[in-house]
Amino acid sequence: MLKTKLTELLGIDHPVVSAPMGSVSGGRLATAVTAAGGLGLVGVSYGDAAFIDEHLPIAAAGGGVWGAGCVMFTFDERPGLWDKVLGYAPPVVALSFGNADQVRRYVSEARSAGAHAVVQVHEPEQAEAALAAGASALIAQGAEAGGHHKVRATMPLIPTIVDLVQGAVPVIAAGGVADGRGLAACLALGADGVMLGTRFTATEESLATPGFKATLPTTRAADTVNTRIFDQVRGIPWDRAYPARAVANDFYRTWGHREDELIAHRAEVEPDWAAAVAADDVQQRAMFAGEVVDLVNDIRPAGELVRELVTEAESVIARVSAATRG
Amino acid sequence: MLKTKLTELLGIDHPVVSAPMGSVSGGRLATAVTAAGGLGLVGVSYGDAAFIDEHLPIAAAGGGVWGAGCVMFTFDERPGLWDKVLGYAPPVVALSFGNADQVRRYVSEARSAGAHAVVQVHEPEQAEAALAAGASALIAQGAEAGGHHKVRATMPLIPTIVDLVQGAVPVIAAGGVADGRGLAACLALGADGVMLGTRFTATEESLATPGFKATLPTTRAADTVNTRIFDQVRGIPWDRAYPARAVANDFYRTWGHREDELIAHRAEVEPDWAAAVAADDVQQRAMFAGEVVDLVNDIRPAGELVRELVTEAESVIARVSAATRG
């Protein structure tokens, strides 16, 4: 048992959250995490009506405390999608990658709809904006995370954000955590829970393709790179402040240092790339993974992972506690 | 009290190490840290006969378990300096930034001289090489550290190195730690101690200049940058794998994006720069600081810091332990 302000706020058993990863975190993964006592988040991500209508009902049917994760900057132009998300009455909405205006708007609307609005931040200024907007909790994400991130690392970022928040809302640590040691470490830093992405990608329930799942256990942190090319080929207008950490593959080796050329030739490149992705070609597709992939050596059932994270964290805390008694 | 494999190996009271920072970690700082029960390291760094002859005797006279930190790649061409370091019989030699051959040589010679040889590593391959060379302990340093570093972040790096080491030698975590929360977190990750740089720069005993010390409490992580220009202007042939994190100042704003030009014009630039540094011009001098500068808000006596780190870590462990009991 690990009781924190996060478990109290949400009424969940364990302070463990599965990240809302686009194309990875579907209803089945969220349900498995929630059923095991954590908080399962569906990766609505950039928003896609078919995905929302397929996966949010699965999570909602699972019951318990689940959530939908939305990338704010992509929702402004498609208001119907946001209403569609709220229509499924997620108990939690996780909001990431928006400017201060977007944070205010989506936090306000999520809370009006009765959801806890959890906002992901990457630096102190964003935490201040999220608190001012009335966020229910913060996710503080370090740059060792997989996928999109900013530049601050988890170890110094968490206590900095915790000091700023001063207990006003729970803080969830993300980036670099894959096991009970990371969970215990983040609690020591003052966080109230952890969010894991890469570790939950490597689960039986994730939507990651067979090729992607087979790749993770043999991938090391040194095989990951920060790049924008997977956003460029998809034509997603990411702010340049947010590169994405992905597994280096042939597509990266071809375009990683020719981003401008890729932008210029996207119309020719994209169809072949999309066809390769559809065929699960791991040398072409984006496989977002964090530095913590070093600690991910198998594909596991998500619920088992949640339980093991907590059990291991308890053992770790007992071990460290014993050290204080000499 | 925090007993770990590191405190047992070295016979010290607390698993707290002050980093051997060049021009910052003199004999007085090392002595203060050692006297408080930690391990104080003198920053011999690139080696300078006058510095060695001034500061190692201070640390040696303080008695207890102290050490000298040497940057390996700069010692090969100056064998007299290495012998001079060993001549002061440091109980610990901290070795950083060398290739596998240098690690083998300096570990072997340090151990033959009766010292514990602690090797700093930044990735799993370097840890393997250090273990093979017979290192007494490892320092695993994350990229959020101040000064020179590689790319992996502390949170995922520490458990990765701990798994690799499998208890063969103690692992000291470095990068992103400034207080008892960080110490407790690193112990949870499996480390046997922590090494702090930025926090010990901001102490009464450090050799940091008045201007540098006055800068730290008002500097935020966002004010730090990774750059090679301070190495270039000093003409130190650092491997490009190791940029250095420093406080952005006018010198950085002038040259940070014109490194090649700085190399080409070094002969003209260096004298004025050196004169400004001698005058403690903080807009010109290198002020190495880590992301954890966010948590450094005062200048403190080093011994008080050591004791507070341990006391706070004990409170943190008690707090987290209470969470496991609901």
Side-chain angles (χ1 to χ4, degrees):
Chain A
M1 177 179 282
L2 275 173
K3 284 289 165 211
T4 70
K5 274 190 294 205
L6 181 70
T7 61
E8 283 172 27
L9 174 73
L10 302 181
I12 56 179
D13 290 338
H14 307 307
V16 175
V17 182
S18 59
M21 301 169 283
S23 312
V24 170
S25 307
R28 209 173 138 230
L29 175 58
T31 299
V33 171
T34 290
L39 169 63
L41 296 177
V42 177
V44 170
S45 199
Y46 311 121
D48 172 292
F51 182 91
I52 293 169
D53 284 335
E54 178 180 355
H55 288 280
L56 296 199
I58 296 173
V65 183
W66 63 280
C70 301
V71 172
M72 287 178 275
F73 79 84
T74 65
F75 270 71
D76 273 3
E77 299 99 61
R78 297 174 295 175
L81 287 183
W82 173 238
D83 294 337
K84 190 182 270 295
V85 169
L86 295 183
Y88 286 104
V92 173
V93 175
L95 299 162
S96 57
F97 307 111
N99 60 32
D101 285 341
Q102 290 161 336
V103 169
R104 266 191 295 276
R105 178 189 158 190
Y106 291 103
V107 165
S108 166
E109 294 182 12
R111 295 197 69 161
S112 295
H116 294 288
V118 182
V119 178
Q120 180 166 303
V121 302
H122 313 83
E123 56 195 9
E125 293 72 13
Q126 293 178 333
E128 287 168 3
L131 287 179
S136 314
L138 303 185
I139 298 159
Q141 186 221 37
E144 53 266 66
H148 295 85
H149 58 79
K150 221 161 175 181
V151 295
R152 298 278 77 86
T154 302
M155 182 68 70
L157 178 65
I158 302 305
T160 300
I161 298 296
V162 165
D163 285 349
L164 186 155
V165 169
Q166 294 193 296
V169 299
V171 174
I172 301 162
V177 178
D179 60 23
R181 293 175 291 186
L183 168 53
C186 290
L187 295 178
L189 292 175
D192 305 290
V194 289
M195 184 171 87
L196 290 71
T198 309
R199 180 61 268 192
F200 281 115
T201 302
T203 55
E204 292 177 3
E205 296 87 347
S206 92
L207 297 176
T209 61
F212 187 178
K213 288 189 192 180
T215 299
L216 285 173
T218 57
T219 298
R220 302 278 66 94
D223 303 319
T224 68
V225 290
N226 283 319
T227 182
R228 294 183 181 85
I229 58 166
F230 295 108
D231 301 328
Q232 299 298 2
V233 72
R234 295 182 293 175
I236 302 170
W238 272 91
D239 184 323
R240 292 192 63 83
Y242 299 101
R245 186 179 303 280
V247 180
N249 57 10
D250 286 347
F251 189 76
Y252 171 77
R253 286 181 280 274
T254 302
W255 295 107
H257 300 282
R258 295 157 64 204
E259 188 180 335
D260 290 341
E261 210 179 324
L262 177 60
I263 295 169
H265 295 277
R266 183 181 168 237
E268 301 107 88
V269 173
E270 198 274 340
D272 285 350
W273 179 82
V277 169
D280 194 21
D281 181 344
V282 297
Q283 290 303 329
Q284 296 293 314
R285 65 170 304 121
M287 295 186 288
F288 295 129
E291 294 187 18
V292 83
V293 72
D294 274 333
L295 301 174
V296 174
N297 302 308
D298 52 19
I299 306 299
R300 304 277 295 285
E304 189 180 302
L305 274 177
V306 172
R307 288 183 290 268
E308 280 197 13
L309 271 157
V310 175
T311 305
E312 187 188 6
E314 290 170 338
S315 307
V316 164
I317 293 164
R319 162 175 64 72
V320 175
S321 196
T324 64
R325 296 187 296 271
Chain B
M1 176 177 285
L2 275 173
K3 285 289 165 210
T4 70
K5 274 190 293 202
L6 181 69
T7 61
E8 282 172 27
L9 174 73
L10 301 181
I12 56 179
D13 289 339
H14 307 307
V16 175
V17 182
S18 60
M21 301 169 282
S23 311
V24 170
S25 306
R28 211 174 137 229
L29 175 58
T31 299
V33 171
T34 289
L39 169 63
L41 296 178
V42 177
V44 170
S45 199
Y46 311 121
D48 172 292
F51 182 92
I52 294 169
D53 285 334
E54 178 181 356
H55 289 279
L56 295 199
I58 297 173
V65 183
W66 63 280
C70 302
V71 171
M72 288 177 274
F73 78 85
T74 65
F75 270 69
D76 273 2
E77 299 99 60
R78 298 173 296 174
L81 287 182
W82 174 237
D83 294 337
K84 190 183 270 293
V85 169
L86 295 183
Y88 286 105
V92 173
V93 175
L95 299 162
S96 57
F97 307 111
N99 60 33
D101 285 341
Q102 289 161 336
V103 169
R104 266 191 296 275
R105 178 190 158 189
Y106 292 102
V107 165
S108 166
E109 294 182 13
R111 296 198 68 161
S112 294
H116 295 288
V118 182
V119 179
Q120 180 166 303
V121 302
H122 312 83
E123 57 196 8
E125 291 73 12
Q126 293 178 333
E128 286 168 5
L131 287 179
S136 314
L138 303 186
I139 298 160
Q141 185 220 38
E144 52 267 66
H148 295 85
H149 58 79
K150 222 161 175 182
V151 295
R152 297 277 80 83
T154 303
M155 182 67 72
L157 179 65
I158 301 306
T160 300
I161 298 296
V162 165
D163 285 349
L164 185 154
V165 170
Q166 294 192 296
V169 299
V171 174
I172 301 163
V177 178
D179 60 22
R181 293 176 290 186
L183 168 53
C186 290
L187 296 178
L189 292 175
D192 304 291
V194 289
M195 184 172 88
L196 291 70
T198 309
R199 179 62 269 193
F200 281 114
T201 302
T203 54
E204 293 176 2
E205 295 88 347
S206 93
L207 297 177
T209 61
F212 187 178
K213 288 189 192 180
T215 298
L216 285 174
T218 58
T219 297
R220 301 278 67 92
D223 303 320
T224 68
V225 289
N226 283 319
T227 182
R228 294 182 181 86
I229 58 167
F230 296 107
D231 301 328
Q232 300 298 2
V233 72
R234 295 182 293 174
I236 302 170
W238 272 92
D239 184 322
R240 293 191 63 82
Y242 300 101
R245 187 179 299 282
V247 181
N249 57 8
D250 286 348
F251 189 77
Y252 172 76
R253 285 182 280 275
T254 301
W255 295 108
H257 301 282
R258 294 157 64 204
E259 188 181 336
D260 289 342
E261 210 178 324
L262 175 60
I263 295 169
H265 292 92
R266 183 182 167 236
E268 300 107 87
V269 173
E270 198 273 341
D272 286 351
W273 178 81
V277 168
D280 195 20
D281 182 345
V282 297
Q283 290 302 329
Q284 295 294 313
R285 65 169 306 122
M287 295 185 290
F288 296 129
E291 294 187 19
V292 84
V293 71
D294 273 334
L295 301 174
V296 174
N297 301 308
D298 52 19
I299 305 299
R300 305 277 294 286
E304 189 180 303
L305 274 177
V306 172
R307 288 183 290 269
E308 280 198 12
L309 271 156
V310 175
T311 305
E312 188 189 7
E314 290 171 338
S315 308
V316 164
I317 293 164
R319 162 176 63 72
V320 175
S321 197
T324 64
R325 295 186 297 270

